[in-house]
Amino acid sequence: MDTAKVGRSDGEWVRICSKAEFKRDGGKSFNVGPLQLVVFRSDGQWFATSSHCTHEDESLADGWLEGCHVECPRHGAMFDLATGEALSLPATEPLQTFAVEVRGDEVLVLIPAAAPADGGTK
């Protein structure tokens, strides 16, 4: 992946993709070093979260989007994309969320200075 990094004391802004890669609302998986994340576009807003449901190891990239919520395709757990909060069972643990900025056509995500040991998957 071609990434551009901009340093910051609490992390680095990393170019993840271009807006043009999202022809419609949805999610796409990306790896930044050991960190696995999903970038979502929904109703003109951009979000980034850890890549997998906290209930089971299922990618949320193919989850169903409604506004700022994503539903896990396996068991239907719902998460708030802005806060990571688990909104419904069977998930009880939140997702990790990441700040997103759009600069021109580029989508950037703020990657924490200390990425989680599990790669952001839980």
Side-chain angles (χ1 to χ4, degrees):
M1 169 180 48
D2 176 30
T3 61
K5 296 182 180 181
V6 179
R8 195 171 131 166
S9 62
D10 54 345
E12 291 183 272
W13 286 102
V14 176
R15 180 203 176 272
I16 300 297
C17 62
S18 71
K19 290 188 330 185
E21 291 180 47
F22 285 78
K23 302 295 183 203
R24 56 184 167 77
D25 286 355
K28 289 186 181 239
S29 295
F30 296 93
N31 293 327
V32 179
L35 188 67
Q36 299 173 347
L37 56 92
V38 176
V39 172
F40 297 94
R41 184 184 83 176
S42 182
D43 296 336
Q45 295 183 296
W46 295 86
F47 305 94
T49 70
S50 46
S51 64
H52 286 74
C53 178
T54 59
H55 168 248
E56 287 217 10
D57 195 28
E58 182 72 25
S59 174
L60 295 172
D62 296 323
W64 178 71
L65 286 177
E66 184 175 326
C68 68
H69 299 139
V70 64
E71 181 178 308
C72 177
R74 181 171 290 177
H75 292 125
M78 185 78 72
F79 296 93
D80 184 305
L81 292 172
T83 66
E85 180 183 2
L87 301 173
S88 67
L89 295 173
T92 58
E93 297 295 319
L95 298 171
Q96 183 177 8
T97 59
F98 304 90
V100 178
E101 271 190 22
V102 177
R103 298 180 191 164
D105 187 48
E106 304 299 310
V107 179
L108 293 94
V109 173
L110 183 61
I111 303 301
D118 67 1
T121 60
K122 299 283 180 195

